[in-house]
Every structure is written in C-alpha cells, then in structure tokens.
Amino acid sequence: MINMGINTMYTKEGARILIVDDEPINLKLLDKILSAQGYNNLVLLQDSRKVLDTYRQQRADLILLDINMPYLDGFDVLEQLKALDDPLFPPVVILTAQNSQDFLLRALNAGARDFITKPFDRNELLARVRNMLDAYLAHRLVFEQKDVLDEIVQTRTNELRRTRLQVVQRLGRAAEYRDNETGNHILRMSHISALLAKSIGWNEADCELMLHASPMHDIGKIGIPDHILLKPGKLDPEEWEIMKTHATIGANILEGDDSDLMRCASEIALTHHEKWDGSGYPYGLSGEAIPLTGRIAALADVFDALTSERPYKKAWTVESAVDLIKESRGTHFDPELVAVFLQQLPEILNIRDRFSEPESEGNPS
Ligand SMILES: [Fe+2]
Ligand SMILES: [Fe+2]
C-alpha cells in the first residue's frame, strides 16, 4: 500500500523531490542548487535500497535518480517503483554521466522521463525540474479533483436514493392515513416484502426495489370517495366495486415512467389483490400469471393488516394470522411463498417489533 500522502501544497516549492545518489557530494550539490531556488521539501537518499520504503511512506512529486549505484542501480530502483502501479507515479529524471543513445533509450524504456547529465549545469537542472513539476502537479491536481468529484457524485447519489425512499414511503403513508391504517403498516409491509424477495433468492438490487416500490401499493385509495373509504360499516356490493378500483387507480398514478422503481410500484399497485386461485381483482389472474411482486406484496400486506389494530377491528394474534395464511396457501397465496413466509417467521416478527406502533404497545397481537 502506498501512502498517497496527499499534501495540499501545489506550489512547486512545496513539491516533494526525492533525490537518490550514492555520492554524498552530488546530493549536497543538488540540495544546494534546489534549496537556493526555494524548493523546501527535498528528501535525500544515499542508499538506493531505501527508495522503495521511503516512497511507500511518502510519495514524491519528482524523483531525481542516479543510475550507477551499488546494491541497486537506477534501473533496479525504477523497476521496483514501477511495480507499485501507482496511478499518480511521478516523473523520474535520470542523473547520469553517460549519454550514449543505447543507454538513454534503455532508461526511457524503463520509465524515465528525462535526463540530466553530470556534471550538472545549474540552469539546465532548474529548467528540467521546473518543467517536470509543472506538468506533474497539473496532472496530480486533475487526478485528485476527479477523486473529489467521484466522492461528491457518490454522496449525491446516496442522498437521492434516500430522498426517493422517503418520498415513496411518505406517499404510501399518505394513502394509508386516508384509509385509517397506521403509518408504520407500510414500513412493516415493505420490509417483509423485501425479506420474502431475498428469501426466494432475489439479488440485492431487486430486493431494494421491492422495499422501495411496495410502500405505494395502496396509493390508489386517494382516488376512492370518502363515503366509501371511510365508511364505518360493511360496504355494499356497489361500493365494494368502487373500492376495488383502487388497484387500477394506483397503477394509473404510477405507470408511464420507465424507471424500474415506478414499473415495479405500478405492477404491485395493480396486482396486490390478485389471488392464486384466480378469485382476486382487478383481473382475476391466477397462479404464476400474477407477477411475483404482486404475490409477495399480497402476502406481506395481508399478514401485517391482520396483525394490526384498525378502527373497525382488533389486531389478530400472530398465531391466528399464521393459521389463516396456512389455510390460504394455494387459494389466496402462492404456496411456495407461504412456505418461505413460514420459514422466515422469526425474522418477520423482528420486523414487526422494529416498526411497532407506539400507541398499540400492549395490545394483544
Ligand atoms: Fe390494497
Ligand atoms: Fe396495505
């Protein structure tokens, strides 16, 4: 692991220059010339075996590298550094007394960017160092800004997902309030739906979709007249027909957008009252003709509705709700989903506890 050691100084003077030369006199000379020019972040190394560790601890913005050194020569050092695969690898300038074409070509191929021939010419040295740093620091700035931008995009994306979830949950909650249902019903119902999806092997993204889309299952109730929706007694057949239209109204509200979320939400709104044996509504679909999203939502919705207290009924006990679900295996509900539901019952009860109604605490359930 390389310590990127991002320093906030982008001035050339603050740039870290690693100078490697086995001759102390050369190090001293380079130090003197560069310091006099204002470069104040010089790291001098006489032992080429220490380059790799030094670089790992604190990367450099420029490396001036001697070639002829004991233990590890400049080519060996270059090879070690290149193997780090640092995306921000700094330019390496070779310090050499040789200037044969073969030698220079070999150094270039090994990854060197430029040369300074010994003995050093002060002006040439400063010009090369300045040019290298100008180019490298500009490159580094762009690179680091890209990281910052990536992070901003990630944060914004997360924020957007969070807001979207909030909006859909609150939209669902609005519909539930109109229906005198409790706000937490949609939280429990959507988490149970996502759990069932996960338990039948759906991937994480699809489970998340289920979690975000199912809260809107009853959104169509906002299109049902109050005298029906809020009627305390039993609905007569005509009123019941109108009540049933909440499924298509919901689908109409949600359809028309091609995002996965809206497509899934619309499908659930439309099909969450279909029954496995074909006796549901609005289309009387049966078996696997009912989208799996609708089958899952139906089971989660009914279980939570049964075990919740409503103005017109007491909460059922978990036991009796489970009995009803078992009895409805293959009539109302997809039998395979019922099996998964029963396996996951402890986790489903955890969800109930997590999102319990404060005012209903102590009620038999
Ligand atoms: Fe419904
Ligand atoms: Fe519901």
Side-chain angles (χ1 to χ4, degrees):
M1 235 342 236
I2 305 161
N3 176 358
M4 294 295 274
I6 303 294
N7 69 38
T8 49
M9 285 183 292
Y10 285 96
T11 57
K12 282 195 289 294
E13 290 71 22
R16 186 174 300 115
I17 305 176
L18 178 59
I19 306 169
V20 190
D21 198 312
D22 60 311
E23 295 289 345
I25 188 155
N26 283 339
L27 285 179
K28 216 169 159 189
L29 180 63
L30 288 164
D31 185 13
K32 199 174 150 198
I33 297 173
L34 292 170
S35 297
Q37 197 62 27
Y39 292 104
N40 56 30
N41 195 359
L42 308 177
V43 180
L44 310 177
L45 273 185
Q46 199 185 330
D47 186 344
S48 58
R49 292 170 297 184
K50 291 183 180 160
V51 176
L52 191 62
D53 273 353
T54 306
Y55 183 84
R56 274 199 184 117
Q57 281 159 21
Q58 255 187 338
R59 56 197 313 290
D61 298 308
L62 174 64
I63 300 175
L64 304 182
L65 182 65
D66 183 22
I67 287 292
N68 290 321
M69 294 182 287
Y71 310 117
L72 291 175
D73 70 11
F75 292 114
D76 298 329
V77 171
L78 258 176
E79 210 168 290
Q80 281 186 337
L81 291 172
K82 283 281 168 191
L84 291 174
D85 257 341
D86 180 359
L88 258 183
F89 191 68
V92 175
V93 175
I94 297 293
L95 310 171
T96 176
Q98 294 189 52
N99 56 5
S100 74
Q101 208 178 356
D102 278 358
F103 172 83
L104 298 182
L105 201 63
R106 190 182 161 206
L108 278 177
N109 283 335
R113 198 66 82 72
D114 204 351
F115 310 95
I116 296 172
T117 38
K118 296 175 183 178
F120 310 120
D121 173 82
R122 183 181 168 279
N123 290 331
E124 185 194 341
L125 171 77
L126 289 175
R128 288 193 193 278
V129 165
R130 190 181 60 236
N131 288 346
M132 284 293 142
L133 282 177
D134 274 344
Y136 178 73
L137 292 180
H139 166 68
R140 183 173 140 183
L141 189 65
V142 170
F143 187 89
E144 286 173 8
Q145 271 176 348
K146 187 185 152 289
D147 265 10
V148 171
L149 286 178
D150 282 353
E151 214 178 295
I152 291 173
V153 169
Q154 194 53 50
T155 310
R156 292 274 193 278
T157 307
N158 289 342
E159 214 172 273
L160 211 63
R161 282 158 68 121
R162 202 185 56 79
T163 315
R164 195 173 69 176
L165 180 58
Q166 283 291 312
V167 169
V168 298
Q169 286 186 339
R170 277 149 208 262
L171 206 59
R173 202 181 287 177
E176 300 289 355
Y177 267 114
R178 270 213 84 214
D179 193 28
N180 274 335
E181 292 188 2
T182 58
N184 279 358
H185 163 67
I186 60 130
L187 278 176
R188 293 189 295 264
M189 177 272 177
S190 56
H191 279 87
I192 294 171
S193 296
L195 172 68
L196 292 175
K198 189 179 165 200
S199 312
I200 57 170
W202 284 21
N203 65 34
E204 207 177 315
D206 287 343
C207 293
E208 198 181 273
L209 205 58
M210 200 65 203
L211 177 72
H212 293 195
S214 55
M216 293 179 275
H217 64 281
D218 264 347
I219 194 71
K221 282 183 178 169
I222 60 180
I224 304 298
D226 282 358
H227 72 273
I228 296 174
L229 197 61
L230 306 175
K231 185 176 174 178
K234 235 177 160 333
L235 299 180
D236 67 32
E238 209 176 300
E239 290 166 336
W240 184 237
E241 283 312 308
I242 295 173
M243 183 62 174
K244 286 174 12 183
T245 62
H246 83 273
T248 40
I249 294 172
N252 287 341
I253 291 173
L254 298 165
E255 77 184 0
D257 184 69
D258 61 2
S259 70
D260 286 346
L261 177 70
M262 284 305 169
R263 274 210 304 256
C264 179
S266 171
E267 189 176 85
I268 292 172
L270 188 63
T271 61
H272 71 284
H273 286 291
E274 297 288 1
K275 294 183 179 176
W276 186 255
D277 63 3
S279 66
Y281 63 88
Y283 297 128
L285 300 175
S286 59
E288 290 181 0
I290 309 166
L292 195 44
T293 53
R295 281 180 264 157
I296 292 174
L299 185 48
D301 190 31
V302 169
F303 172 74
D304 192 69
L306 288 175
T307 51
S308 302
E309 186 175 315
R310 297 283 158 87
Y312 50 88
K313 73 163 188 68
K314 284 245 170 253
W316 287 33
T317 62
V318 167
E319 213 176 26
S320 21
V322 169
D323 282 346
L324 181 94
I325 283 170
K326 281 183 190 162
E327 282 163 27
S328 312
R329 189 196 315 232
T331 53
H332 189 160
F333 303 117
D334 174 344
E336 280 177 36
L337 279 181
V338 171
V340 170
F341 175 91
L342 296 173
Q343 271 166 19
Q344 294 296 328
L345 195 56
E347 191 50 39
I348 289 168
L349 297 182
N350 278 341
I351 293 173
R352 275 189 82 235
D353 288 345
R354 248 171 80 202
F355 303 108
S356 63
E357 303 296 327
E359 68 271 30
S360 71
E361 268 169 16
N363 281 344
S365 58

